[in-house]
Amino acid sequence: MAGPVPDLDETARACAARLRAAESVLLASHIDADGLTSAAIAATALERADIPFETVFKKQLDDAEIASIAAREYDTVLFTDFGSGQLDAIASHEAAGDFTPVIADHHQPAEAETEYHLNPLLVGIDGASELSGAGASYVLARALAEEQDTTPDTANRDLAALAVVGAVGDMQATGGELVGTNARIVAEGVEAGVLEEGTDLAFYGKQTRPLPKLLEYASEVQIPGVSNDESGAIQFLDGLGLDLRAEGDWRRWVDLTDAERQTVASALVQRALERGVPAEKVDGLVGTTYTLLDEESGTELRDASEFSTLLNATARYERADVGLAVCLGDRTDALERARRLLQNHRRNLSEGLERVKAEGVTREDHLQWFDAGDEIRETIVGIVAGMAVGTEGVDSNVPIVAFARKNDEETKVSARGTGRLVGQGLDLSVVMGEASAAVGGGGGGHDVAAGATIPAGREQEFIAEADAIVGEQLG
Ligand code: C5P
Ligand code: C5P
Ligand code: ZN
């Protein structure tokens, strides 16, 4: 890029000034946990700044969707958690005078420029691990607050909690903790009193799952005789000499005292080591957890990871309105509804994973793939592909590509890699972008996780293209 690189805050201030000057604002965001939290952060900041707006959610921002946004005749469109990858199409609408775009995103930008473009990748910050869409929206929210007559304490820093939920939802804490700009946001949230950062068991479900389920379903580290083994998990817990039941029901992790947690965690480590789990995997039993202090203990909302899954359970099933309402503070009807959607989402993920295990993947030279057809919803096939990596029959040394039917004409593609593969040169956003373009589709995303839409029937050709590109990147 020519000239000095303006830092994120500077761009954020320009974006904030543009939003203040807008006649009408349409807020458009993506339908996953990061997109929902992005929208909630932006919506709250706009409301606090007395800037009227309306909100829409889109599954994917393609040319048709951008055209439909343009047709709504808002003078300014704020895109959160997408927009960068479609900058070419957006910029042509801008040039035509349809709207002024303001973008807070973290996806790989397309070849085009626009003035109000807040994206970590433009300033040398990694968009897959250091800042999410919600994080970019938070940086914008902070800039919007700066001009307001508020005390520094309340200057939208409470929104850091949602930014962390978005980052965790985008799997930006996969190395065990949030890093880079994300870590700065965590620190602001801690200082604002809305977040607590702690070291704890890395299993999903510490707030809500009864202990045996917490251990049985844990996929982070597989412990022989405990993971995927209901009676094994119960036996293990019963053998610890603790009183882990209350009135006949199993207690949850959140109900335990520190000493009890220590006992369970140590026993898990010991069991894992005894049963031959490699030491570096055993290290993964412990990780950094992010607790939302304003939320009730023992609820999904208290833990950033559980909160993000709850959100994915809404927006990926066409109920972004429910997830957004929860983010904005609805703890009655919307939360009830979200919980029912979560049960459905969990069932779909586990059935999807079972299906991949049963049918297996097809191995090419440099990647592996499966076609879920109609069996897995296109909005969650990427999550299932990611969860499948490392399970039996799925190689974690090559990327995984998954297909799902979108409609009669189109197939959805999701691709997932690992941090190690990215270190070796893998960039799935390039793979998805180029392989889809070669068969008449479009795609993009991040180096470690990307996606595409391609014409139905071109899957084999797409795989051949993608396989060759991955081969070049890793060769
Ligand atoms: O569109 P968006 O950026 O919000 O989606 C990012 C996707 O990338 C998420 O589905 C997330 O699970 C995935 N991801 C991943 N592994 C990483 C980083 C992101 O699977 N290390
Ligand atoms: O849908 P999935 O979770 O597989 O998406 C992975 C990443 O790829 C997300 O960041 C998503 O925004 C991006 N993607 C894209 N273009 C598509 C499909 C997905 O940029 N057509
Ligand atoms: Zn995102």
Side-chain angles (χ1 to χ4, degrees):
M1 215 187 314
V5 182
D7 83 336
L8 272 186
D9 291 325
E10 216 174 287
T11 312
R13 281 193 284 272
C15 292
R18 168 64 222 189
L19 288 166
R20 286 187 176 283
E23 269 165 36
S24 57
V25 176
L26 181 64
L27 167 59
S29 197
H30 196 204
I31 55 133
D32 64 3
D34 191 31
L36 278 175
T37 48
S38 298
I41 289 167
T44 306
L46 289 169
E47 205 158 291
R48 288 177 182 172
D50 282 325
I51 301 170
F53 64 96
E54 277 192 69
T55 311
V56 289
F57 287 93
K58 303 284 181 194
K59 207 189 285 186
Q60 211 62 60
L61 196 60
D62 56 19
D63 292 353
E65 293 291 7
I66 298 168
S68 83
I69 284 172
R72 296 187 59 170
E73 299 192 343
Y74 284 82
D75 125 271
T76 301
V77 181
L78 171 56
F79 294 95
T80 57
D81 194 35
F82 58 22
S84 296
Q86 302 76 20
L87 198 55
D88 42 357
I90 290 172
S92 51
H93 279 284
E94 181 179 21
D98 293 344
F99 57 77
T100 299
V102 177
I103 302 172
D105 190 12
H106 66 132
H107 290 92
Q108 200 61 54
E111 292 280 327
E113 302 235 338
T114 191
E115 191 172 356
Y116 309 109
H117 187 192
L118 185 62
N119 184 320
L121 293 160
L122 297 177
V123 294
I125 297 169
D126 186 352
S129 63
E130 296 182 309
L131 195 68
S132 68
S137 302
Y138 174 78
V139 173
L140 174 62
R142 295 279 279 117
L144 268 165
E146 264 178 26
E147 296 171 39
Q148 265 162 269
D149 184 22
T150 51
T151 61
D153 280 2
T154 56
N156 283 342
R157 278 201 288 166
D158 54 329
L159 301 175
L162 285 172
V164 166
V165 172
V168 169
D170 259 13
M171 311 257 301
Q172 299 204 332
T174 38
E177 62 177 347
L178 292 172
V179 298
T181 312
N182 278 326
R184 272 172 43 194
I185 296 177
V186 171
E188 291 199 9
V190 169
E191 216 173 291
V194 294
L195 272 177
E196 188 177 83
E197 188 178 18
T199 305
D200 203 345
L201 190 67
F203 290 178
Y204 173 87
K206 292 191 289 291
Q207 293 290 328
T208 58
R209 282 185 172 163
L211 284 165
K213 298 279 173 221
L214 179 76
L215 303 192
E216 180 193 344
Y217 293 148
S219 55
E220 291 82 358
V221 180
Q222 295 291 312
I223 302 175
V226 175
S227 310
N228 303 310
D229 184 344
E230 186 181 3
S231 62
I234 291 174
Q235 246 177 28
F236 169 83
L237 290 164
D238 279 337
L240 297 176
L242 298 172
D243 189 7
L244 298 177
R245 290 187 178 88
E247 292 163 19
D249 288 330
W250 283 97
R251 293 158 71 198
R252 299 161 302 183
W253 188 261
V254 61
D255 303 322
L256 305 184
T257 63
D258 285 345
E260 288 169 329
R261 287 183 197 173
Q262 196 58 53
T263 303
V264 179
S266 304
L268 278 172
V269 169
Q270 200 188 334
R271 165 66 73 97
L273 290 171
E274 276 167 14
R275 299 290 180 99
V277 178
E280 67 272 18
K281 288 235 162 169
V282 175
D283 286 347
L285 280 171
V286 172
T288 303
T289 54
Y290 302 96
T291 304
L292 279 72
L293 295 177
D294 290 340
E295 303 298 341
E296 200 182 315
S297 182
T299 67
E300 297 85 353
L301 310 178
R302 180 86 172 174
D303 175 80
S305 171
E306 292 198 57
F307 196 155
S308 74
T309 303
L310 183 80
L311 294 179
N312 275 323
T314 66
R316 290 182 191 259
Y317 298 82
E318 277 136 44
R319 292 309 305 267
D321 57 320
V322 173
L324 181 64
V326 171
C327 287
L328 294 176
D330 186 327
R331 297 291 172 266
T332 55
D333 294 355
L335 183 55
E336 258 323 295
R337 184 72 233 218
R339 284 183 170 141
R340 288 203 301 276
L341 287 162
L342 178 60
Q343 290 182 359
N344 172 58
H345 180 50
R346 287 239 177 87
R347 194 168 50 240
N348 287 342
L349 290 181
S350 109
E351 286 174 8
L353 200 54
E354 284 308 314
R355 192 193 170 280
V356 178
K357 280 187 197 159
E359 310 254 315
V361 297
T362 306
R363 183 62 197 257
E364 306 293 336
D365 289 341
H366 308 288
L367 57 77
Q368 56 199 332
W369 62 276
F370 67 89
D371 186 349
D374 271 323
E375 300 294 314
I376 302 177
R377 239 180 125 84
E378 53 124 336
T379 52
I380 64 162
V381 74
I383 301 180
V384 174
M387 290 169 72
V389 175
T391 63
E392 216 185 303
V394 182
D395 190 349
S396 51
N397 297 309
V398 292
I400 186 165
V401 173
F403 296 114
R405 201 184 87 99
K406 196 163 176 163
N407 52 49
D408 286 345
E409 285 84 43
E410 293 171 314
T411 297
K412 164 70 192 295
V413 191
S414 282
R416 297 290 187 271
T418 62
R420 202 172 58 78
L421 288 167
V422 168
Q424 292 166 8
L426 181 74
D427 185 346
L428 289 172
S429 76
V430 171
V431 177
M432 290 296 109
E434 291 183 357
S436 65
V439 301
H446 310 289
D447 47 16
V448 72
T453 301
I454 60 170
R458 311 278 303 263
E459 293 82 2
Q460 289 299 333
E461 247 176 287
F462 175 88
I463 284 293
E465 293 285 346
D467 191 42
I469 302 169
V470 173
E472 278 164 32
Q473 290 181 347
L474 296 178

Short mmCIF file of all heavy atoms in Angstrom, two decimals, residues 4 8 18 38 44-45 62 78 80 151-152 176 183-184 283 414 416 419 450 452 467 471:
data_model
loop_
_atom_site.label_atom_id
_atom_site.label_comp_id
_atom_site.label_asym_id
_atom_site.label_seq_id
_atom_site.Cartn_x
_atom_site.Cartn_y
_atom_site.Cartn_z
N PRO A 4 1.62 6.44 4.17
CA PRO A 4 1.58 5.94 5.54
C PRO A 4 0.32 5.11 5.78
O PRO A 4 -0.70 5.33 5.14
CB PRO A 4 1.55 7.22 6.38
CG PRO A 4 1.01 8.27 5.48
CD PRO A 4 1.39 7.88 4.09
N LEU A 8 -5.68 1.81 13.21
CA LEU A 8 -7.11 1.46 13.33
C LEU A 8 -7.95 2.57 13.94
O LEU A 8 -9.03 2.89 13.45
CB LEU A 8 -7.25 0.22 14.20
CG LEU A 8 -7.19 -1.16 13.57
CD1 LEU A 8 -7.52 -2.20 14.63
CD2 LEU A 8 -8.14 -1.30 12.39
N ARG A 18 -18.20 10.06 9.85
CA ARG A 18 -19.09 9.86 8.71
C ARG A 18 -20.49 9.41 9.18
O ARG A 18 -21.52 9.89 8.69
CB ARG A 18 -18.48 8.81 7.78
CG ARG A 18 -19.39 8.30 6.71
CD ARG A 18 -19.82 9.37 5.73
NE ARG A 18 -21.24 9.23 5.43
CZ ARG A 18 -21.90 9.90 4.49
NH1 ARG A 18 -21.28 10.82 3.78
NH2 ARG A 18 -23.16 9.68 4.30
N SER A 38 -21.23 -8.16 16.45
CA SER A 38 -20.84 -6.94 15.72
C SER A 38 -22.02 -5.99 15.61
O SER A 38 -21.91 -4.78 15.88
CB SER A 38 -20.40 -7.28 14.29
OG SER A 38 -19.28 -8.12 14.27
N THR A 44 -25.78 -0.59 19.58
CA THR A 44 -25.75 0.09 20.87
C THR A 44 -25.01 1.42 20.76
O THR A 44 -25.46 2.45 21.29
CB THR A 44 -25.08 -0.81 21.92
OG1 THR A 44 -25.75 -2.06 21.93
CG2 THR A 44 -25.12 -0.19 23.30
N ALA A 45 -23.89 1.40 20.06
CA ALA A 45 -23.09 2.63 19.92
C ALA A 45 -23.85 3.69 19.11
O ALA A 45 -23.81 4.88 19.45
CB ALA A 45 -21.76 2.31 19.26
N ASP A 62 -23.53 -11.23 -1.37
CA ASP A 62 -23.15 -11.34 -2.78
C ASP A 62 -23.69 -10.13 -3.55
O ASP A 62 -24.30 -9.23 -2.98
CB ASP A 62 -23.64 -12.67 -3.37
CG ASP A 62 -25.15 -12.84 -3.20
OD1 ASP A 62 -25.85 -11.84 -2.98
OD2 ASP A 62 -25.62 -13.98 -3.29
N LEU A 78 -23.64 0.81 7.00
CA LEU A 78 -22.58 0.32 7.86
C LEU A 78 -22.56 -1.21 7.78
O LEU A 78 -23.50 -1.88 8.20
CB LEU A 78 -22.83 0.77 9.31
CG LEU A 78 -21.92 0.17 10.39
CD1 LEU A 78 -20.44 0.41 10.10
CD2 LEU A 78 -22.29 0.73 11.77
N THR A 80 -20.96 -4.67 8.97
CA THR A 80 -20.11 -5.22 10.02
C THR A 80 -19.94 -6.73 9.81
O THR A 80 -20.88 -7.43 9.46
CB THR A 80 -20.68 -4.96 11.45
OG1 THR A 80 -21.99 -5.50 11.55
CG2 THR A 80 -20.72 -3.48 11.77
N THR A 151 -18.32 9.99 30.66
CA THR A 151 -17.09 9.76 31.42
C THR A 151 -16.32 8.65 30.71
O THR A 151 -16.92 7.78 30.10
CB THR A 151 -17.41 9.32 32.85
OG1 THR A 151 -18.14 8.10 32.77
CG2 THR A 151 -18.22 10.35 33.59
N PRO A 152 -15.00 8.66 30.82
CA PRO A 152 -14.21 7.65 30.12
C PRO A 152 -14.61 6.23 30.50
O PRO A 152 -14.56 5.33 29.67
CB PRO A 152 -12.77 7.94 30.58
CG PRO A 152 -12.79 9.29 31.17
CD PRO A 152 -14.19 9.59 31.59
N GLY A 176 -5.63 -21.17 22.89
CA GLY A 176 -5.79 -21.20 24.34
C GLY A 176 -6.24 -19.87 24.91
O GLY A 176 -6.89 -19.81 25.93
N ALA A 183 -6.58 -9.06 22.83
CA ALA A 183 -6.15 -9.04 24.22
C ALA A 183 -6.30 -7.64 24.81
O ALA A 183 -6.62 -7.47 25.99
CB ALA A 183 -4.70 -9.52 24.33
N ARG A 184 -6.10 -6.63 23.97
CA ARG A 184 -6.30 -5.26 24.44
C ARG A 184 -7.76 -5.00 24.77
O ARG A 184 -8.10 -4.30 25.73
CB ARG A 184 -5.82 -4.26 23.38
CG ARG A 184 -4.34 -3.95 23.53
CD ARG A 184 -3.79 -3.13 22.40
NE ARG A 184 -4.62 -2.03 21.96
CZ ARG A 184 -4.43 -1.37 20.81
NH1 ARG A 184 -3.44 -1.74 20.01
NH2 ARG A 184 -5.20 -0.37 20.47
N ASP A 283 -1.67 -30.45 28.00
CA ASP A 283 -1.61 -29.01 28.28
C ASP A 283 -2.90 -28.31 27.85
O ASP A 283 -3.30 -27.32 28.43
CB ASP A 283 -0.45 -28.36 27.51
CG ASP A 283 0.90 -28.71 28.14
OD1 ASP A 283 0.90 -29.23 29.28
OD2 ASP A 283 1.93 -28.47 27.49
N SER A 414 -17.34 -24.99 2.36
CA SER A 414 -16.65 -24.52 3.56
C SER A 414 -15.29 -25.19 3.63
O SER A 414 -15.19 -26.38 3.33
CB SER A 414 -17.43 -24.86 4.83
OG SER A 414 -18.50 -23.99 5.01
N ARG A 416 -11.62 -25.59 6.09
CA ARG A 416 -10.97 -25.33 7.37
C ARG A 416 -9.55 -25.89 7.35
O ARG A 416 -9.31 -26.98 6.85
CB ARG A 416 -11.73 -25.99 8.52
CG ARG A 416 -13.14 -25.47 8.74
CD ARG A 416 -13.12 -24.04 9.30
NE ARG A 416 -14.44 -23.55 9.67
CZ ARG A 416 -15.27 -22.92 8.82
NH1 ARG A 416 -14.93 -22.73 7.56
NH2 ARG A 416 -16.43 -22.49 9.25
N GLY A 419 -3.70 -23.81 12.37
CA GLY A 419 -2.66 -22.79 12.53
C GLY A 419 -1.33 -23.28 11.99
O GLY A 419 -0.57 -22.51 11.39
N ALA A 450 -12.34 -20.55 5.37
CA ALA A 450 -12.90 -19.77 4.26
C ALA A 450 -14.07 -20.53 3.66
O ALA A 450 -14.38 -21.65 4.06
CB ALA A 450 -11.82 -19.51 3.21
N ALA A 452 -17.11 -20.62 0.04
CA ALA A 452 -17.44 -20.19 -1.32
C ALA A 452 -18.83 -20.67 -1.67
O ALA A 452 -19.42 -21.52 -0.99
CB ALA A 452 -16.43 -20.77 -2.31
N ASP A 467 -7.29 -28.43 -4.89
CA ASP A 467 -6.20 -29.34 -4.55
C ASP A 467 -4.88 -28.83 -5.12
O ASP A 467 -3.85 -28.82 -4.44
CB ASP A 467 -6.53 -30.74 -5.11
CG ASP A 467 -5.59 -31.80 -4.57
OD1 ASP A 467 -5.28 -31.77 -3.36
OD2 ASP A 467 -5.15 -32.67 -5.37
N GLY A 471 -1.68 -27.45 -3.03
CA GLY A 471 -0.38 -28.06 -3.32
C GLY A 471 0.70 -27.01 -3.55
O GLY A 471 1.81 -27.11 -3.02
#
